[in-house]
Amino acid sequence: MSFAALGLAEPLLQTLAGLAYRTPTPVQQQAIPAVLAGRDLLVAAQTGTGKTAAFALPLLQRLLGETTAVGAGMVRVLVLVPTRELAEQVCASFVRYGAGLPLSCYAAYGGAELGPQMKRLGSGVDVLVATPGRLVDLFTKGAVRFRELRALVLDEADRMLDLGFANDLDILFQALPRQRQTLLFSATFAANVGELAGRRLQKPLRIEATPRNTAAKTVKQWVVPVDKKRKTELFLFMRRDRGWRQVLVFVKTKKGCDELLARLQAKQIAADTIHGDRPQASRQQALEAFRAGAVEVLVATDVAARGIDIDGLPQVVNFDLPLQAEDYVHRIGRTGRAGQAGEAISFVAADEAPLLAAIEALLRKPLSRDEEPGFEPCHHVPPTAPGSPAKARPVAARPGAPARAPRSNWVDEFAGGRKARSAPRKPGNRGR
Ligand code: AMP
């Protein structure tokens, strides 16, 4: 199947050829013709599946059919996203896919000054990518109007609801024209997403590009049981021992991020952090440096779990497990993108067993446990899933001992299982 067969216009086909996109991904194959036909969509697609192009390409094409330029203060396509990083990234995708077209795209999010955003919106934009909180602020101040709106995209809808944007979304829906196309994308399908879709979509085409609540099959996932106080030592050891070059490390708190950063920098490791307390510009800088390879270890809170797109990222380490099981899927979605292989390694201390159980229930499979010789925990991590006893390897005398068991810890099949249980959520980045 080619992009041309999906009905895309020549200028877009040329851009795709330039990007060396040869074959549409499954979500693109299903979504592009339906969006071109004007249908509403309800799409379950995890990150890394090519979902951004699945909505950006056909929406750009629909915009090309407009006969007049967008009016002052108006927006034709609105994309709502949960975080600032995702806003920048989705806008960059529109710019990339729409290269050479007479269309404009702008990203507006919290943490940046309102004034310049209001000014830019004054002249109208074809595609506005925004976080809901900031868009409500801009709308309330009269900086943006929706009379010319043709299409709305809710990207990572589950995450927007998780982050407490439901009220802001309600306010925005009141302001949007009823006659519009609505596309809802969500990596995971929680009940509240279904409810939102039921209220806001018109006879949507349902597309399930990936199994529900699963991670990419190309990601090799495993757990390393370890005592909490030895996690840094374990990370340093595994990084050196396995030759990790570029690794994204998730920790639970901003404080934890900064502490780990200090310990890595003390070892002369090129590292940086990305979390909600850092100004937007320095978060963006850290991300760029990581993408370029100048930063080898990027330590992040869940704010970075969504939307970060780094080609060929080989390793994600969960230094701490996420409080919300769904975040595990998003975290590890940073690797194994677009069919590439990746590894997701979770360091689990005894008190994190309930979080591990919630993740395994969500994935409907036990995660393989693989102790690192020399780091066997004194505090045993209790069993979490039936039939997944801790797999202890022969104990080596000290960290760094050469003995290594074969890494036969691929877990690809999904057995039927229990329903997901999630730990209570902490307030996250509202992108306001
Ligand atoms: P997304 O799921 O939208 O974040 O996209 C994941 C990655 O896949 C991005 O780096 C895209 O540039 C890339 N990508 C999207 N569609 C294709 C395609 N049809 N062929 C090759 N790469 C693609």
PDB file of all heavy atoms in Angstrom, residues 3 16 19-25 27-28 46-55 57 86 89 93 96-97 156 307-311 334 337-338, ligand 1:
ATOM      1  N   PHE A   3       1.224   5.726  -0.094  1.00  0.00           N
ATOM      2  CA  PHE A   3       0.524   6.920   0.372  1.00  0.00           C
ATOM      3  C   PHE A   3      -0.407   7.449  -0.713  1.00  0.00           C
ATOM      4  O   PHE A   3      -1.484   7.960  -0.431  1.00  0.00           O
ATOM      5  CB  PHE A   3       1.522   7.986   0.813  1.00  0.00           C
ATOM      6  CG  PHE A   3       2.074   7.758   2.198  1.00  0.00           C
ATOM      7  CD1 PHE A   3       3.349   7.258   2.382  1.00  0.00           C
ATOM      8  CD2 PHE A   3       1.303   8.031   3.321  1.00  0.00           C
ATOM      9  CE1 PHE A   3       3.859   7.036   3.654  1.00  0.00           C
ATOM     10  CE2 PHE A   3       1.797   7.815   4.600  1.00  0.00           C
ATOM     11  CZ  PHE A   3       3.080   7.319   4.771  1.00  0.00           C
ATOM     12  N   LEU A  16       6.618  13.450   1.613  1.00  0.00           N
ATOM     13  CA  LEU A  16       6.802  12.130   2.234  1.00  0.00           C
ATOM     14  C   LEU A  16       7.957  11.376   1.586  1.00  0.00           C
ATOM     15  O   LEU A  16       8.736  10.712   2.270  1.00  0.00           O
ATOM     16  CB  LEU A  16       5.507  11.313   2.143  1.00  0.00           C
ATOM     17  CG  LEU A  16       4.360  11.843   3.003  1.00  0.00           C
ATOM     18  CD1 LEU A  16       3.069  11.101   2.697  1.00  0.00           C
ATOM     19  CD2 LEU A  16       4.704  11.715   4.479  1.00  0.00           C
ATOM     20  N   LEU A  19      11.051  12.574   2.980  1.00  0.00           N
ATOM     21  CA  LEU A  19      11.273  12.087   4.354  1.00  0.00           C
ATOM     22  C   LEU A  19      11.556  10.584   4.382  1.00  0.00           C
ATOM     23  O   LEU A  19      11.725  10.005   5.459  1.00  0.00           O
ATOM     24  CB  LEU A  19      10.031  12.360   5.215  1.00  0.00           C
ATOM     25  CG  LEU A  19       9.700  13.825   5.507  1.00  0.00           C
ATOM     26  CD1 LEU A  19       8.323  13.940   6.170  1.00  0.00           C
ATOM     27  CD2 LEU A  19      10.763  14.434   6.418  1.00  0.00           C
ATOM     28  N   ALA A  20      11.537   9.975   3.205  1.00  0.00           N
ATOM     29  CA  ALA A  20      11.752   8.522   3.072  1.00  0.00           C
ATOM     30  C   ALA A  20      10.674   7.718   3.805  1.00  0.00           C
ATOM     31  O   ALA A  20      10.939   6.639   4.329  1.00  0.00           O
ATOM     32  CB  ALA A  20      13.161   8.130   3.548  1.00  0.00           C
ATOM     33  N   TYR A  21       9.454   8.249   3.863  1.00  0.00           N
ATOM     34  CA  TYR A  21       8.311   7.467   4.338  1.00  0.00           C
ATOM     35  C   TYR A  21       7.794   6.708   3.116  1.00  0.00           C
ATOM     36  O   TYR A  21       7.199   7.309   2.229  1.00  0.00           O
ATOM     37  CB  TYR A  21       7.174   8.356   4.839  1.00  0.00           C
ATOM     38  CG  TYR A  21       7.376   9.044   6.165  1.00  0.00           C
ATOM     39  CD1 TYR A  21       8.611   9.130   6.778  1.00  0.00           C
ATOM     40  CD2 TYR A  21       6.277   9.620   6.818  1.00  0.00           C
ATOM     41  CE1 TYR A  21       8.766   9.777   7.990  1.00  0.00           C
ATOM     42  CE2 TYR A  21       6.425  10.267   8.026  1.00  0.00           C
ATOM     43  CZ  TYR A  21       7.668  10.357   8.601  1.00  0.00           C
ATOM     44  OH  TYR A  21       7.799  11.006   9.788  1.00  0.00           O
ATOM     45  N   ARG A  22       7.988   5.430   3.065  1.00  0.00           N
ATOM     46  CA  ARG A  22       7.595   4.685   1.862  1.00  0.00           C
ATOM     47  C   ARG A  22       6.216   4.059   2.000  1.00  0.00           C
ATOM     48  O   ARG A  22       5.414   4.077   1.090  1.00  0.00           O
ATOM     49  CB  ARG A  22       8.635   3.600   1.552  1.00  0.00           C
ATOM     50  CG  ARG A  22       9.882   4.218   1.006  1.00  0.00           C
ATOM     51  CD  ARG A  22      10.958   3.304   0.552  1.00  0.00           C
ATOM     52  NE  ARG A  22      12.135   4.113   0.269  1.00  0.00           N
ATOM     53  CZ  ARG A  22      13.023   4.482   1.183  1.00  0.00           C
ATOM     54  NH1 ARG A  22      12.898   4.084   2.428  1.00  0.00           N
ATOM     55  NH2 ARG A  22      14.053   5.248   0.862  1.00  0.00           N
ATOM     56  N   THR A  23       5.977   3.478   3.185  1.00  0.00           N
ATOM     57  CA  THR A  23       4.716   2.750   3.375  1.00  0.00           C
ATOM     58  C   THR A  23       3.956   3.360   4.540  1.00  0.00           C
ATOM     59  O   THR A  23       4.544   3.609   5.600  1.00  0.00           O
ATOM     60  CB  THR A  23       5.030   1.276   3.744  1.00  0.00           C
ATOM     61  OG1 THR A  23       6.090   0.841   2.906  1.00  0.00           O
ATOM     62  CG2 THR A  23       3.834   0.386   3.571  1.00  0.00           C
ATOM     63  N   PRO A  24       2.667   3.572   4.385  1.00  0.00           N
ATOM     64  CA  PRO A  24       1.891   4.076   5.525  1.00  0.00           C
ATOM     65  C   PRO A  24       1.844   3.033   6.646  1.00  0.00           C
ATOM     66  O   PRO A  24       1.755   1.835   6.359  1.00  0.00           O
ATOM     67  CB  PRO A  24       0.496   4.311   4.952  1.00  0.00           C
ATOM     68  CG  PRO A  24       0.566   4.048   3.498  1.00  0.00           C
ATOM     69  CD  PRO A  24       1.854   3.379   3.180  1.00  0.00           C
ATOM     70  N   THR A  25       1.910   3.479   7.873  1.00  0.00           N
ATOM     71  CA  THR A  25       1.786   2.557   9.000  1.00  0.00           C
ATOM     72  C   THR A  25       0.312   2.124   9.110  1.00  0.00           C
ATOM     73  O   THR A  25      -0.567   2.768   8.512  1.00  0.00           O
ATOM     74  CB  THR A  25       2.221   3.234  10.314  1.00  0.00           C
ATOM     75  OG1 THR A  25       1.311   4.301  10.576  1.00  0.00           O
ATOM     76  CG2 THR A  25       3.646   3.779  10.222  1.00  0.00           C
ATOM     77  N   VAL A  27      -2.012   2.541  11.306  1.00  0.00           N
ATOM     78  CA  VAL A  27      -2.969   3.578  11.722  1.00  0.00           C
ATOM     79  C   VAL A  27      -3.132   4.611  10.609  1.00  0.00           C
ATOM     80  O   VAL A  27      -4.241   5.130  10.384  1.00  0.00           O
ATOM     81  CB  VAL A  27      -2.579   4.222  13.076  1.00  0.00           C
ATOM     82  CG1 VAL A  27      -1.318   5.041  12.997  1.00  0.00           C
ATOM     83  CG2 VAL A  27      -3.719   5.079  13.610  1.00  0.00           C
ATOM     84  N   GLN A  28      -2.081   4.879   9.872  1.00  0.00           N
ATOM     85  CA  GLN A  28      -2.181   5.822   8.748  1.00  0.00           C
ATOM     86  C   GLN A  28      -3.066   5.241   7.639  1.00  0.00           C
ATOM     87  O   GLN A  28      -3.883   5.948   7.054  1.00  0.00           O
ATOM     88  CB  GLN A  28      -0.780   6.149   8.211  1.00  0.00           C
ATOM     89  CG  GLN A  28       0.042   6.981   9.190  1.00  0.00           C
ATOM     90  CD  GLN A  28       1.529   7.009   8.891  1.00  0.00           C
ATOM     91  OE1 GLN A  28       1.997   6.424   7.923  1.00  0.00           O
ATOM     92  NE2 GLN A  28       2.292   7.678   9.748  1.00  0.00           N
ATOM     93  N   GLN A  46      -0.998   3.692  20.097  1.00  0.00           N
ATOM     94  CA  GLN A  46       0.053   4.112  21.014  1.00  0.00           C
ATOM     95  C   GLN A  46       1.066   4.959  20.278  1.00  0.00           C
ATOM     96  O   GLN A  46       1.124   4.964  19.046  1.00  0.00           O
ATOM     97  CB  GLN A  46       0.708   2.908  21.663  1.00  0.00           C
ATOM     98  CG  GLN A  46       1.420   2.019  20.685  1.00  0.00           C
ATOM     99  CD  GLN A  46       1.684   0.656  21.300  1.00  0.00           C
ATOM    100  OE1 GLN A  46       0.816  -0.194  21.334  1.00  0.00           O
ATOM    101  NE2 GLN A  46       2.867   0.461  21.779  1.00  0.00           N
ATOM    102  N   THR A  47       1.830   5.662  21.061  1.00  0.00           N
ATOM    103  CA  THR A  47       2.823   6.549  20.498  1.00  0.00           C
ATOM    104  C   THR A  47       3.885   5.729  19.762  1.00  0.00           C
ATOM    105  O   THR A  47       4.138   4.585  20.119  1.00  0.00           O
ATOM    106  CB  THR A  47       3.390   7.414  21.638  1.00  0.00           C
ATOM    107  OG1 THR A  47       4.120   8.462  21.069  1.00  0.00           O
ATOM    108  CG2 THR A  47       4.229   6.637  22.590  1.00  0.00           C
ATOM    109  N   GLY A  48       4.430   6.271  18.706  1.00  0.00           N
ATOM    110  CA  GLY A  48       5.416   5.529  17.932  1.00  0.00           C
ATOM    111  C   GLY A  48       4.815   4.775  16.762  1.00  0.00           C
ATOM    112  O   GLY A  48       5.521   4.134  15.992  1.00  0.00           O
ATOM    113  N   THR A  49       3.489   4.863  16.607  1.00  0.00           N
ATOM    114  CA  THR A  49       2.828   4.125  15.531  1.00  0.00           C
ATOM    115  C   THR A  49       2.659   4.978  14.281  1.00  0.00           C
ATOM    116  O   THR A  49       2.111   4.511  13.286  1.00  0.00           O
ATOM    117  CB  THR A  49       1.417   3.679  15.974  1.00  0.00           C
ATOM    118  OG1 THR A  49       0.729   4.849  16.435  1.00  0.00           O
ATOM    119  CG2 THR A  49       1.470   2.646  17.076  1.00  0.00           C
ATOM    120  N   GLY A  50       3.084   6.236  14.355  1.00  0.00           N
ATOM    121  CA  GLY A  50       2.887   7.153  13.227  1.00  0.00           C
ATOM    122  C   GLY A  50       1.554   7.866  13.299  1.00  0.00           C
ATOM    123  O   GLY A  50       1.031   8.346  12.299  1.00  0.00           O
ATOM    124  N   LYS A  51       1.005   7.998  14.511  1.00  0.00           N
ATOM    125  CA  LYS A  51      -0.336   8.577  14.637  1.00  0.00           C
ATOM    126  C   LYS A  51      -0.362  10.057  14.295  1.00  0.00           C
ATOM    127  O   LYS A  51      -1.386  10.559  13.835  1.00  0.00           O
ATOM    128  CB  LYS A  51      -0.907   8.311  16.036  1.00  0.00           C
ATOM    129  CG  LYS A  51      -0.207   9.075  17.145  1.00  0.00           C
ATOM    130  CD  LYS A  51      -0.788   8.687  18.491  1.00  0.00           C
ATOM    131  CE  LYS A  51       0.051   9.197  19.639  1.00  0.00           C
ATOM    132  NZ  LYS A  51      -0.001  10.628  19.825  1.00  0.00           N
ATOM    133  N   THR A  52       0.753  10.779  14.498  1.00  0.00           N
ATOM    134  CA  THR A  52       0.724  12.220  14.214  1.00  0.00           C
ATOM    135  C   THR A  52       0.502  12.450  12.720  1.00  0.00           C
ATOM    136  O   THR A  52      -0.346  13.257  12.331  1.00  0.00           O
ATOM    137  CB  THR A  52       2.046  12.881  14.663  1.00  0.00           C
ATOM    138  OG1 THR A  52       2.366  12.388  15.966  1.00  0.00           O
ATOM    139  CG2 THR A  52       1.909  14.386  14.718  1.00  0.00           C
ATOM    140  N   ALA A  53       1.245  11.710  11.887  1.00  0.00           N
ATOM    141  CA  ALA A  53       1.043  11.849  10.442  1.00  0.00           C
ATOM    142  C   ALA A  53      -0.350  11.373  10.048  1.00  0.00           C
ATOM    143  O   ALA A  53      -0.925  11.865   9.080  1.00  0.00           O
ATOM    144  CB  ALA A  53       2.109  11.063   9.687  1.00  0.00           C
ATOM    145  N   ALA A  54      -0.912  10.435  10.802  1.00  0.00           N
ATOM    146  CA  ALA A  54      -2.234   9.893  10.474  1.00  0.00           C
ATOM    147  C   ALA A  54      -3.301  10.983  10.524  1.00  0.00           C
ATOM    148  O   ALA A  54      -4.276  10.933   9.783  1.00  0.00           O
ATOM    149  CB  ALA A  54      -2.598   8.752  11.427  1.00  0.00           C
ATOM    150  N   PHE A  55      -3.112  11.985  11.406  1.00  0.00           N
ATOM    151  CA  PHE A  55      -4.090  13.083  11.366  1.00  0.00           C
ATOM    152  C   PHE A  55      -3.545  14.324  10.661  1.00  0.00           C
ATOM    153  O   PHE A  55      -4.279  15.047   9.992  1.00  0.00           O
ATOM    154  CB  PHE A  55      -4.652  13.414  12.756  1.00  0.00           C
ATOM    155  CG  PHE A  55      -3.670  13.877  13.815  1.00  0.00           C
ATOM    156  CD1 PHE A  55      -3.204  15.181  13.851  1.00  0.00           C
ATOM    157  CD2 PHE A  55      -3.244  13.017  14.819  1.00  0.00           C
ATOM    158  CE1 PHE A  55      -2.324  15.610  14.842  1.00  0.00           C
ATOM    159  CE2 PHE A  55      -2.367  13.428  15.816  1.00  0.00           C
ATOM    160  CZ  PHE A  55      -1.900  14.736  15.826  1.00  0.00           C
ATOM    161  N   LEU A  57      -1.426  14.707   8.030  1.00  0.00           N
ATOM    162  CA  LEU A  57      -1.411  14.695   6.557  1.00  0.00           C
ATOM    163  C   LEU A  57      -2.802  14.973   5.964  1.00  0.00           C
ATOM    164  O   LEU A  57      -2.956  15.883   5.149  1.00  0.00           O
ATOM    165  CB  LEU A  57      -0.870  13.358   6.037  1.00  0.00           C
ATOM    166  CG  LEU A  57       0.623  13.100   6.291  1.00  0.00           C
ATOM    167  CD1 LEU A  57       0.976  11.641   6.033  1.00  0.00           C
ATOM    168  CD2 LEU A  57       1.480  14.009   5.409  1.00  0.00           C
ATOM    169  N   LEU A  86       4.764  18.016  23.889  1.00  0.00           N
ATOM    170  CA  LEU A  86       3.994  17.417  22.802  1.00  0.00           C
ATOM    171  C   LEU A  86       3.477  18.509  21.866  1.00  0.00           C
ATOM    172  O   LEU A  86       3.421  18.323  20.649  1.00  0.00           O
ATOM    173  CB  LEU A  86       2.855  16.567  23.364  1.00  0.00           C
ATOM    174  CG  LEU A  86       2.147  15.663  22.362  1.00  0.00           C
ATOM    175  CD1 LEU A  86       3.116  14.736  21.656  1.00  0.00           C
ATOM    176  CD2 LEU A  86       1.053  14.840  23.024  1.00  0.00           C
ATOM    177  N   GLN A  89       6.207  19.375  19.601  1.00  0.00           N
ATOM    178  CA  GLN A  89       6.516  18.279  18.691  1.00  0.00           C
ATOM    179  C   GLN A  89       5.457  18.105  17.607  1.00  0.00           C
ATOM    180  O   GLN A  89       5.779  17.887  16.442  1.00  0.00           O
ATOM    181  CB  GLN A  89       6.643  17.007  19.512  1.00  0.00           C
ATOM    182  CG  GLN A  89       7.259  15.891  18.744  1.00  0.00           C
ATOM    183  CD  GLN A  89       7.527  14.734  19.666  1.00  0.00           C
ATOM    184  OE1 GLN A  89       8.377  14.819  20.545  1.00  0.00           O
ATOM    185  NE2 GLN A  89       6.778  13.671  19.507  1.00  0.00           N
ATOM    186  N   SER A  93       5.775  18.599  13.584  1.00  0.00           N
ATOM    187  CA  SER A  93       5.358  17.595  12.593  1.00  0.00           C
ATOM    188  C   SER A  93       4.503  18.237  11.507  1.00  0.00           C
ATOM    189  O   SER A  93       4.671  17.940  10.316  1.00  0.00           O
ATOM    190  CB  SER A  93       4.566  16.468  13.263  1.00  0.00           C
ATOM    191  OG  SER A  93       5.383  15.767  14.144  1.00  0.00           O
ATOM    192  N   ARG A  96       6.748  20.039   9.273  1.00  0.00           N
ATOM    193  CA  ARG A  96       7.525  19.120   8.431  1.00  0.00           C
ATOM    194  C   ARG A  96       6.662  18.544   7.302  1.00  0.00           C
ATOM    195  O   ARG A  96       7.041  18.555   6.151  1.00  0.00           O
ATOM    196  CB  ARG A  96       8.074  17.979   9.306  1.00  0.00           C
ATOM    197  CG  ARG A  96       9.145  17.164   8.621  1.00  0.00           C
ATOM    198  CD  ARG A  96       9.929  16.328   9.601  1.00  0.00           C
ATOM    199  NE  ARG A  96       9.128  15.327  10.266  1.00  0.00           N
ATOM    200  CZ  ARG A  96       9.028  15.171  11.572  1.00  0.00           C
ATOM    201  NH1 ARG A  96       9.689  15.957  12.367  1.00  0.00           N
ATOM    202  NH2 ARG A  96       8.261  14.232  12.102  1.00  0.00           N
ATOM    203  N   TYR A  97       5.474  18.069   7.660  1.00  0.00           N
ATOM    204  CA  TYR A  97       4.626  17.449   6.637  1.00  0.00           C
ATOM    205  C   TYR A  97       4.045  18.487   5.674  1.00  0.00           C
ATOM    206  O   TYR A  97       3.721  18.170   4.538  1.00  0.00           O
ATOM    207  CB  TYR A  97       3.483  16.654   7.287  1.00  0.00           C
ATOM    208  CG  TYR A  97       3.969  15.522   8.186  1.00  0.00           C
ATOM    209  CD1 TYR A  97       3.363  15.270   9.416  1.00  0.00           C
ATOM    210  CD2 TYR A  97       5.026  14.710   7.796  1.00  0.00           C
ATOM    211  CE1 TYR A  97       3.810  14.243  10.245  1.00  0.00           C
ATOM    212  CE2 TYR A  97       5.482  13.684   8.612  1.00  0.00           C
ATOM    213  CZ  TYR A  97       4.862  13.458   9.843  1.00  0.00           C
ATOM    214  OH  TYR A  97       5.310  12.454  10.648  1.00  0.00           O
ATOM    215  N   GLU A 156      -3.672  12.240  22.625  1.00  0.00           N
ATOM    216  CA  GLU A 156      -3.392  11.721  23.971  1.00  0.00           C
ATOM    217  C   GLU A 156      -4.525  12.117  24.915  1.00  0.00           C
ATOM    218  O   GLU A 156      -4.296  12.673  26.003  1.00  0.00           O
ATOM    219  CB  GLU A 156      -2.044  12.229  24.475  1.00  0.00           C
ATOM    220  CG  GLU A 156      -0.963  12.123  23.413  1.00  0.00           C
ATOM    221  CD  GLU A 156       0.237  11.304  23.826  1.00  0.00           C
ATOM    222  OE1 GLU A 156       0.478  11.192  25.026  1.00  0.00           O
ATOM    223  OE2 GLU A 156       0.908  10.762  22.940  1.00  0.00           O
ATOM    224  N   GLY A 307       5.009  11.897  24.148  1.00  0.00           N
ATOM    225  CA  GLY A 307       5.294  12.824  23.063  1.00  0.00           C
ATOM    226  C   GLY A 307       6.752  12.968  22.679  1.00  0.00           C
ATOM    227  O   GLY A 307       7.029  13.414  21.584  1.00  0.00           O
ATOM    228  N   ILE A 308       7.672  12.619  23.538  1.00  0.00           N
ATOM    229  CA  ILE A 308       9.065  12.779  23.140  1.00  0.00           C
ATOM    230  C   ILE A 308       9.363  11.786  22.028  1.00  0.00           C
ATOM    231  O   ILE A 308       9.120  10.605  22.170  1.00  0.00           O
ATOM    232  CB  ILE A 308      10.021  12.517  24.318  1.00  0.00           C
ATOM    233  CG1 ILE A 308       9.848  13.602  25.355  1.00  0.00           C
ATOM    234  CG2 ILE A 308      11.460  12.470  23.846  1.00  0.00           C
ATOM    235  CD1 ILE A 308      10.768  13.424  26.531  1.00  0.00           C
ATOM    236  N   ASP A 309       9.851  12.298  20.944  1.00  0.00           N
ATOM    237  CA  ASP A 309      10.125  11.427  19.812  1.00  0.00           C
ATOM    238  C   ASP A 309      11.615  11.480  19.512  1.00  0.00           C
ATOM    239  O   ASP A 309      12.136  12.490  19.063  1.00  0.00           O
ATOM    240  CB  ASP A 309       9.305  11.909  18.613  1.00  0.00           C
ATOM    241  CG  ASP A 309       9.560  11.043  17.398  1.00  0.00           C
ATOM    242  OD1 ASP A 309      10.008   9.896  17.577  1.00  0.00           O
ATOM    243  OD2 ASP A 309       9.329  11.522  16.287  1.00  0.00           O
ATOM    244  N   ILE A 310      12.302  10.424  19.845  1.00  0.00           N
ATOM    245  CA  ILE A 310      13.738  10.385  19.592  1.00  0.00           C
ATOM    246  C   ILE A 310      14.003   9.154  18.748  1.00  0.00           C
ATOM    247  O   ILE A 310      13.697   8.037  19.160  1.00  0.00           O
ATOM    248  CB  ILE A 310      14.518  10.313  20.922  1.00  0.00           C
ATOM    249  CG1 ILE A 310      14.241  11.582  21.726  1.00  0.00           C
ATOM    250  CG2 ILE A 310      16.013  10.152  20.667  1.00  0.00           C
ATOM    251  CD1 ILE A 310      14.479  11.442  23.185  1.00  0.00           C
ATOM    252  N   ASP A 311      14.545   9.394  17.563  1.00  0.00           N
ATOM    253  CA  ASP A 311      14.774   8.268  16.662  1.00  0.00           C
ATOM    254  C   ASP A 311      15.733   7.260  17.276  1.00  0.00           C
ATOM    255  O   ASP A 311      16.788   7.632  17.771  1.00  0.00           O
ATOM    256  CB  ASP A 311      15.364   8.769  15.338  1.00  0.00           C
ATOM    257  CG  ASP A 311      14.264   9.182  14.390  1.00  0.00           C
ATOM    258  OD1 ASP A 311      13.097   8.853  14.689  1.00  0.00           O
ATOM    259  OD2 ASP A 311      14.568   9.832  13.389  1.00  0.00           O
ATOM    260  N   ARG A 334       8.691   5.371  24.639  1.00  0.00           N
ATOM    261  CA  ARG A 334       9.766   6.239  24.117  1.00  0.00           C
ATOM    262  C   ARG A 334      10.787   5.417  23.335  1.00  0.00           C
ATOM    263  O   ARG A 334      11.575   5.953  22.595  1.00  0.00           O
ATOM    264  CB  ARG A 334      10.535   6.957  25.235  1.00  0.00           C
ATOM    265  CG  ARG A 334       9.774   7.790  26.209  1.00  0.00           C
ATOM    266  CD  ARG A 334       8.928   8.823  25.565  1.00  0.00           C
ATOM    267  NE  ARG A 334       7.597   8.295  25.372  1.00  0.00           N
ATOM    268  CZ  ARG A 334       6.821   8.591  24.362  1.00  0.00           C
ATOM    269  NH1 ARG A 334       7.231   9.365  23.414  1.00  0.00           N
ATOM    270  NH2 ARG A 334       5.629   8.094  24.280  1.00  0.00           N
ATOM    271  N   ARG A 337      10.131   2.651  18.896  1.00  0.00           N
ATOM    272  CA  ARG A 337       9.199   3.390  18.050  1.00  0.00           C
ATOM    273  C   ARG A 337       9.348   2.975  16.590  1.00  0.00           C
ATOM    274  O   ARG A 337      10.405   2.566  16.150  1.00  0.00           O
ATOM    275  CB  ARG A 337       9.446   4.891  18.183  1.00  0.00           C
ATOM    276  CG  ARG A 337       9.023   5.389  19.533  1.00  0.00           C
ATOM    277  CD  ARG A 337       9.581   6.743  19.777  1.00  0.00           C
ATOM    278  NE  ARG A 337       8.789   7.779  19.147  1.00  0.00           N
ATOM    279  CZ  ARG A 337       7.687   8.283  19.661  1.00  0.00           C
ATOM    280  NH1 ARG A 337       7.230   7.832  20.808  1.00  0.00           N
ATOM    281  NH2 ARG A 337       7.039   9.239  19.058  1.00  0.00           N
ATOM    282  N   ALA A 338       8.250   3.123  15.860  1.00  0.00           N
ATOM    283  CA  ALA A 338       8.214   2.810  14.424  1.00  0.00           C
ATOM    284  C   ALA A 338       8.886   1.466  14.122  1.00  0.00           C
ATOM    285  O   ALA A 338       9.645   1.310  13.185  1.00  0.00           O
ATOM    286  CB  ALA A 338       8.855   3.939  13.609  1.00  0.00           C
TER     287      ALA A 338
HETATM  288  P1  AMP B   1       4.388   9.170  16.068  1.00  0.00           P
HETATM  289  O1  AMP B   1       3.731   7.903  16.484  1.00  0.00           O
HETATM  290  O2  AMP B   1       3.470  10.057  15.301  1.00  0.00           O
HETATM  291  O3  AMP B   1       5.048   9.879  17.214  1.00  0.00           O
HETATM  292  O4  AMP B   1       5.567   8.780  15.025  1.00  0.00           O
HETATM  293  C1  AMP B   1       6.654   7.995  15.395  1.00  0.00           C
HETATM  294  C2  AMP B   1       7.824   8.113  14.432  1.00  0.00           C
HETATM  295  O5  AMP B   1       7.559   7.415  13.217  1.00  0.00           O
HETATM  296  C3  AMP B   1       8.181   9.538  14.029  1.00  0.00           C
HETATM  297  O6  AMP B   1       9.592   9.664  14.126  1.00  0.00           O
HETATM  298  C4  AMP B   1       7.755   9.656  12.583  1.00  0.00           C
HETATM  299  O7  AMP B   1       8.604  10.534  11.880  1.00  0.00           O
HETATM  300  C5  AMP B   1       7.905   8.223  12.086  1.00  0.00           C
HETATM  301  N1  AMP B   1       6.957   7.850  11.017  1.00  0.00           N
HETATM  302  C6  AMP B   1       5.632   8.123  10.982  1.00  0.00           C
HETATM  303  N2  AMP B   1       5.053   7.577   9.905  1.00  0.00           N
HETATM  304  C7  AMP B   1       6.033   6.934   9.217  1.00  0.00           C
HETATM  305  C8  AMP B   1       6.056   6.170   8.001  1.00  0.00           C
HETATM  306  N3  AMP B   1       4.951   5.950   7.299  1.00  0.00           N
HETATM  307  N4  AMP B   1       7.240   5.664   7.608  1.00  0.00           N
HETATM  308  C9  AMP B   1       8.373   5.883   8.335  1.00  0.00           C
HETATM  309  N5  AMP B   1       8.419   6.589   9.491  1.00  0.00           N
HETATM  310  C10 AMP B   1       7.252   7.107   9.935  1.00  0.00           C
END
